[in-house]
Amino acid sequence: MKRIAAFALTCAMAAPVYAQTIATVNGKNLTQKDLDQFVAVLVEQGAKDSPELREQVKQEMVNRLAVVQAAEKAGIDKTSQVQQETELARQSILVRALMADYLKKNPVTDADLTKEYNTIKSMEEGQQEYKVRHILVKDEQTAKDLLAKIKSKKTSFADAAKKDSIDTGSGQQGGDLGWAPSATYVPEFAQAVEKMKKGELSATPVQSQFGWHIIQVDDARPVTFPSMAEVKPQLEEMMRQRKLAEFQQKILKEANIK
């Protein structure tokens, strides 16, 4: 008997840890491997592995399996809507896994980041940004009348913006649009700003798709480009998305689509 007991104990110890059953629901086993895989997904999403988490996960798995079994018993899994949703979920999982696998095999390297950073930075060299105010009105004559009042000191730019600008957001700030490169604005506005000097008021109103603008350039300065450390997360994500877009285009190009 002792030999039989010892043999049984040895076999139990030799069995794979992952084969251990942690719970049984209506005859269906949940294994340690199932639990570990579920926990691994949560850890990847930011959770901290702990006995408490594992107990919560185990209970969730038990509850979920019991409900799934009830749904299958009721034939819910055979309905066309559920089958369609299941297929869409399967496709989403496969697409996400394929993209993750591609990025794992084709990561954005530090060299890639440095090259992209330097390219963008070189494009910004020599660029100016402007601190601009504007008053926006619907018609040219209103703009001309307001401009004349501002030039003759009958009203201030800020007061006119608060009272008459249909751009109420900047109007409440005295027309202030803050600091921005001229490329931020519509072409007509940008061209006018680029020709003006610091402290200058537009000689005539400027028309754009939004109406008529009275523009004042409060200040100008060279664009300050952020350091690599400041933009690295955003730059890396941008390049990852670009890689994925190119990969998807390659897949579609090679696919036999009729």
Side-chain angles (χ1 to χ4, degrees):
M1 288 295 294
K2 289 183 179 180
R3 289 183 178 180
I4 294 175
F7 178 73
L9 178 60
T10 301
C11 289
M13 293 176 63
V17 173
Y18 281 162
Q20 292 180 1
T21 298
I22 59 172
T24 303
V25 181
N26 296 322
K28 174 72 174 179
N29 292 337
L30 289 172
T31 68
Q32 183 68 39
K33 181 178 180 180
D34 297 327
L35 176 64
D36 290 344
Q37 289 176 336
F38 201 142
V39 169
V41 171
L42 296 179
V43 169
E44 285 182 2
Q45 296 174 353
K48 184 178 180 180
D49 194 346
S50 67
E52 293 77 16
L53 175 65
R54 287 180 170 271
E55 183 57 36
Q56 292 173 6
V57 169
K58 176 182 174 182
Q59 192 58 52
E60 171 63 20
M61 292 172 66
V62 168
N63 295 345
R64 183 179 298 189
L65 181 55
V67 175
V68 167
Q69 288 174 342
E72 292 172 341
K73 185 176 181 180
I76 300 298
D77 58 321
K78 301 297 191 297
T79 65
S80 59
Q81 181 179 349
V82 169
Q83 288 183 341
Q84 182 180 30
E85 292 180 6
T86 300
E87 176 58 20
L88 289 174
R90 186 186 75 87
Q91 291 177 11
S92 296
I93 291 169
L94 286 173
V95 169
R96 186 169 61 250
L98 177 64
M99 296 302 128
D101 180 68
Y102 179 78
L103 286 177
K104 183 177 180 180
K105 294 175 180 176
N106 300 273
V108 176
T109 66
D110 286 342
D112 294 332
L113 287 169
T114 300
K115 182 179 179 181
E116 185 72 12
Y117 175 82
N118 289 335
T119 298
I120 297 174
K121 185 177 180 180
S122 66
M123 293 170 62
E124 295 291 333
E125 286 181 355
Q127 297 294 313
Q128 291 281 106
E129 60 179 354
Y130 305 86
K131 193 173 190 301
V132 177
R133 293 177 183 270
H134 87 137
I135 301 170
L136 177 64
V137 295
K138 292 182 178 179
D139 62 270
E140 184 179 14
Q141 191 57 52
T142 300
K144 286 182 175 179
D145 292 343
L146 274 175
L147 183 57
K149 289 181 180 179
I150 294 170
K151 287 183 175 180
S152 64
K153 308 295 184 182
K154 291 181 179 179
T155 186
S156 69
F157 193 103
D159 288 342
K162 291 177 182 178
K163 181 182 177 183
D164 299 295
S165 183
I166 59 176
D167 179 2
T168 55
S170 67
Q172 294 306 306
Q173 305 300 319
D176 189 10
L177 294 173
W179 285 97
S182 59
T184 303
Y185 307 116
V186 293
E188 303 87 350
F189 193 104
Q191 290 167 13
V193 167
E194 289 169 356
K195 294 176 182 178
M196 295 169 63
K197 298 178 181 179
K198 177 179 175 180
E200 187 177 357
L201 184 67
S202 55
T204 58
V206 176
Q207 186 180 20
S208 78
Q209 67 195 75
F210 302 108
W212 291 83
H213 305 263
I214 300 170
I215 304 171
Q216 179 174 301
V217 174
D218 288 342
D219 204 351
R221 65 188 180 191
V223 171
T224 302
F225 201 74
S227 67
M228 168 68 92
E230 292 176 286
V231 299
K232 185 176 180 179
Q234 299 93 319
L235 188 61
E236 185 171 14
E237 181 58 25
M238 180 191 77
M239 296 184 70
R240 283 164 60 91
Q241 293 304 318
R242 184 192 299 166
K243 275 181 174 286
L244 291 179
E246 291 171 351
F247 179 48
Q248 291 180 60
Q249 286 300 313
K250 181 175 181 292
I251 291 173
L252 292 174
K253 185 177 179 180
E254 295 176 349
N256 183 14
I257 301 174
K258 296 181 180 180

